Every structure is written in structure tokens, then in C-alpha cells.
Amino acid sequence: MTSATALPARLSALLPDLSPWRSSADFRLLWVQGLVTYFGSFMALIALPLQIKELTGSPLAVGAMGAVELVPLVVFGLYGGALADSADRRKVILGTEAGLGLLALVLLVNAAMPDPMLWPLYLVAGGVSALAGLQRPALDSLIARIVPHDQLTAAAALNSLRWQFGAITGPAVAGLVVAYAGHATAYTVTVVTFTVSVLLCLRLAPAPPAEQARKPSLRGIAEGARYAWSRPVLLGTYAIDLAAMFFAFPNTIFPFLADELDAEWSLGLMYAAGSVGSLVLGLTSGWTSRVRRHGLFVVFGAAAWGLAIAAAGWFSNVWLVLVCLAVAGAGDMLSGLGRSTIWNQTIPEELRGRLAGIEVLSYSVGPQLGQVRAGAMAGWTGTRTAIWTGGVACVASVALLAAALPKLLTYDSETDADAVRRRQSSPSGV
């Protein structure tokens, strides 16, 4: 290979691995369906709190959405995990997607009234959280069934890339739509996207449960929790994600950080910077498909997240702060790729839904508690101190957890006993 061709070859090796897209028709359907859904969901995610703000003028009323959403997400996330192991996952996804579309229709009807009411907004917020909790385990647990075992990291990267694209474009477009066309138009877009999503879900192949599957129950949920507790590698993925989000998720105090840096104009960029960093990593994620030590992804990615958040709180130059937040987003995505790959490579098919339900707790409770910690700490020590100390605490907790759970660091997809059993039990390597 000449030097003229070597550089393009190296660059192409960084591009996302499209193997799952080529090998699985169901993965292609879910990828497109998710892209459509994310766009519509982020449209409503921006429009809903803005409408509450418009109706009440109260920051407390807007913040109350978090309390309304958390409990349904936790309860229905755990139940949804058990449901995903006992029902046809395609039907669960289809039913919840249709339900989300109906809730978007409620928002549209309310916004079109001469005097929109406040209580339906909270009702829909809680309903969306409950349906998302039911749906997420079914979606997550379906990937390992439709994607070949050796393509699971690539599938995780492609799914993260899709999410980041929606996280960047959805809010940006939503802000413009709400500002110039009103809430009703934004909700109309959301209804249309969910309609398209349901039509795509109808084309998915059935995904029936295992023959020995039992009905959802507390005993079944407890069985999944015992399995997770008995596996140090899995336990490490949950614990590190929870610690990283608890100590280093300062999004709620970004408005105060922008004020302290005398850069109010940068607030939107602060919220978008993490997604930009994740998107860059996703667009250059081809190399991740050739890695076997995914536990290192989890540890190093979470540590990079904490270091970058600490630096963001330390620097006083707003552009350096934005760069740090972008680096944090890349670290978060790297850790997420490791977690997703380990889950899909090691968890038995009959427990996959329930373990995905536990993962819902990991990704929902951590950020919620992290925002409470950041807000309380900022009131006590100041905004920037709350951010950089949280980042340092994140790095320290990741180091302690990695030392306490060394099997996570030594995880190898070729030699780990659970990964080997999962690969051998999968028909045709799927």
C-alpha cells in the first residue's frame, strides 16, 4: 500500500461500522424508526416545559416535571423488564409506541384550545415516562436477538449516533418551531413522527419470548436483580454509570455557570456540547468494533467524563468550558458503548429484559439525583466549585469501583465465561 492510499484507508477505518445495518433488516427498521421517534420526542421534550413556563411563569412548576416523571419511569421500567422476558417484544414496542403517539395527540388537542390547561401537561409527562419505562427494556433486549454477536459494539455505536443526531437537531428545530409557529405545530410534528414510527414497527418480525418464560412478577424481577448482583462485571457497569451521573451531572446549573462566565449567550451551546462530543466519537467509532476489552471502555470513558467535567468547572474561559463539555460527552459515549456491548454479549436471553429494566434505573436515577446534588452543592459552595468537585468525586468513585470489581477491567469478550456461553447458545452467531 502506497502512502497515498494508506491515509484514506486509515480514515475509512475510523468511520462507523455499518455491518449491523447490512446484516439485519430488523436493525435497519429499528434504526430508522428510532431516528424518527427521537426527532419527534425531542420536539415535545422542548415544547412541553416551555408551555408550562408560559402558563405558569414558575421555575418550580417546570422543575416539578422531573418529580412527575421519575417514579413512573422506575416502576414501569422494572415491570417493563419482566414484561419483555414474557411477551412478544415486537408487540410491546408497537403498543407503547402507539400509546406515546396518543399522548402526543392529547398535547396537540390541549394546545389547540383557546385556554390550554396545565394539568394535562403533567398527566402526559407521567404517562410518557411510564410508557418509555415499559418500552426501553423491550427495545434494548431485542438488539442481541437481531444483530450477530460480533457486531454488537457496532450496533451500539450506530444506535448512539442516531440518538445524538436526534438530541442535536430535535431541540434546535423545536425551539424555532415553538418560537415562530407555536406549541400546537410542534405537537403536530410529534404526532406525525409517531404515526410513521408505528407503521415502521408493524414491519418488524415477531420476537416471542422463550418457551419457559413466566408471567411478569416480583419474583421474576428479584431473580433478575440476583443475577446482576452475582456478576461483578455487570454490577460494575451499573455502579460506575450511577456514580458518574450522581457526582458529575451538572446540567441543571448550566444557566448559573453561563452567568458567572458572563456568557449568557453560551447556555444553549453548553447543553449541546456533550451531544456534539458524542456525535464526533460516533462518527469515528469504526475502531471500537475491533476491541475485546469493553470493561476498559466503561472505566476509562467514565473517568474521562469526570475529568472533563472537573476541568469545565475549573476553567474561566467559556470556550475552554465548551471544549471540556464536548470531551465529557465523548467519554460518556465511550462508557456507554462498553456497557451496552457487555450487556448484550453476556446476559442470557431469558433474563435480558429484566436486566434491561435494571439498566433503566441506572440511567434514570443517576442523572436525577445528580441534578439535585449539583443544585444543592452550588447553593452551598458556588456553581463552579460544585462542578469541579463533582468531577473529582466522579473520578475517585470510578477508581474505587474499578479496584473493588477487577473483573470489569479484565473483561474480554473472547474469554469471559458468560460471553462464551451466550455466543455458543446463539443460533447462527446471533
Side-chain angles (χ1 to χ4, degrees):
M1 181 180 293
T2 67
S3 58
T5 59
L7 183 58
R10 293 192 187 100
L11 291 176
S12 65
L14 293 175
L15 295 177
D17 183 353
L18 300 180
S19 299
W21 179 276
R22 291 191 290 265
S23 63
S24 173
D26 276 348
F27 180 81
R28 291 194 296 273
L29 279 172
L30 278 180
W31 198 93
V32 175
Q33 173 268 332
L35 183 64
V36 172
T37 296
Y38 284 150
F39 184 81
S41 296
F42 277 110
M43 183 77 67
L45 186 66
I46 297 300
L48 186 55
L50 285 177
Q51 188 175 19
I52 294 177
K53 175 178 178 291
E54 182 180 290
L55 291 175
T56 66
S58 167
L60 180 61
V62 177
M65 276 185 59
V68 171
E69 293 168 338
L70 180 58
V71 174
L73 184 61
V74 172
V75 173
F76 285 92
L78 288 173
Y79 179 79
L83 182 65
D85 283 334
S86 62
D88 188 316
R89 291 168 188 168
R90 172 185 176 273
K91 292 181 179 178
V92 174
I93 295 169
L94 183 60
T96 51
E97 200 72 1
L100 290 167
L102 289 175
L103 290 177
L105 186 60
V106 171
L107 291 176
L108 172 58
V109 171
N110 184 60
M113 295 174 62
D115 295 306
M117 296 180 288
L118 179 62
W119 66 265
L121 304 184
Y122 290 112
L123 181 65
V124 168
V128 167
S129 187
L131 288 173
L134 285 175
Q135 185 187 79
R136 177 69 183 262
L139 275 172
D140 287 353
S141 59
L142 185 58
I143 297 299
R145 180 179 289 193
I146 63 177
V147 173
H149 190 85
D150 60 352
Q151 297 175 11
L152 289 171
T153 303
L158 290 174
N159 281 340
S160 295
L161 192 62
R162 174 194 63 185
W163 190 92
Q164 297 302 337
F165 182 79
I168 294 171
T169 60
V173 175
L176 294 174
V177 170
V178 171
Y180 292 102
H183 296 94
T185 302
Y187 297 141
T188 299
V189 173
T190 304
V191 170
V192 171
T193 59
F194 276 109
T195 302
V196 173
S197 176
V198 168
L199 293 176
L200 290 171
C201 288
L202 286 170
R203 299 178 59 190
L204 289 170
E211 292 183 2
Q212 69 274 23
R214 297 173 300 204
K215 292 182 178 181
S217 65
L218 290 176
R219 178 179 296 179
I221 294 173
E223 181 184 358
R226 284 195 299 271
Y227 180 86
W229 186 261
S230 70
R231 297 299 193 273
V233 174
L234 287 178
L235 192 61
T237 64
Y238 295 129
I240 284 180
D241 183 43
L242 188 63
M245 293 298 102
F246 175 74
F247 287 114
F249 193 80
N251 291 29
T252 192
I253 56 176
F254 279 170
F256 301 96
L257 178 61
D259 288 344
E260 286 196 16
L261 298 176
D262 195 25
E264 292 82 358
W265 55 267
S266 69
L267 180 59
L269 295 177
M270 287 182 183
Y271 283 116
S275 294
V276 172
S278 297
L279 183 63
V280 171
L281 183 63
L283 290 172
T284 57
S285 62
W287 62 275
T288 62
S289 297
R290 299 183 289 276
V291 175
R292 294 163 29 184
R293 301 283 297 278
H294 303 103
L296 295 178
F297 278 11
V298 177
V299 174
F300 289 157
W305 162 270
L307 282 172
I309 292 296
W314 184 263
F315 288 128
S316 57
N317 182 290
V318 66
W319 293 108
L320 289 177
V321 170
L322 292 172
V323 169
C324 290
L325 293 177
V327 172
D332 184 45
M333 181 171 177
L334 183 64
S335 184
L337 287 180
R339 294 194 306 271
S340 178
T341 302
I342 289 172
W343 296 335
N344 284 324
Q345 285 182 342
T346 64
I347 298 173
E349 174 64 25
E350 65 273 12
L351 289 172
R352 192 169 297 280
R354 278 166 283 179
L355 271 293
I358 293 174
E359 185 260 334
V360 169
L361 293 181
S362 171
Y363 87 82
S364 62
V365 174
Q368 293 283 356
L369 294 178
Q371 293 190 82
V372 174
R373 183 215 66 85
M377 193 76 176
W380 179 37
T381 66
T383 301
R384 292 173 62 192
T385 301
I387 294 174
W388 74 258
T389 56
V392 171
C394 168
V395 176
S397 63
V398 169
L400 289 173
L401 288 168
L405 300 166
K407 287 189 176 181
L408 179 62
L409 282 173
T410 60
Y411 173 85
D412 188 314
S413 61
E414 293 297 319
T415 59
D416 180 83
D418 289 328
V420 171
R421 278 194 295 270
R422 169 69 186 134
R423 183 167 60 248
Q424 292 174 343
S425 66
S426 301
S428 302
V430 175

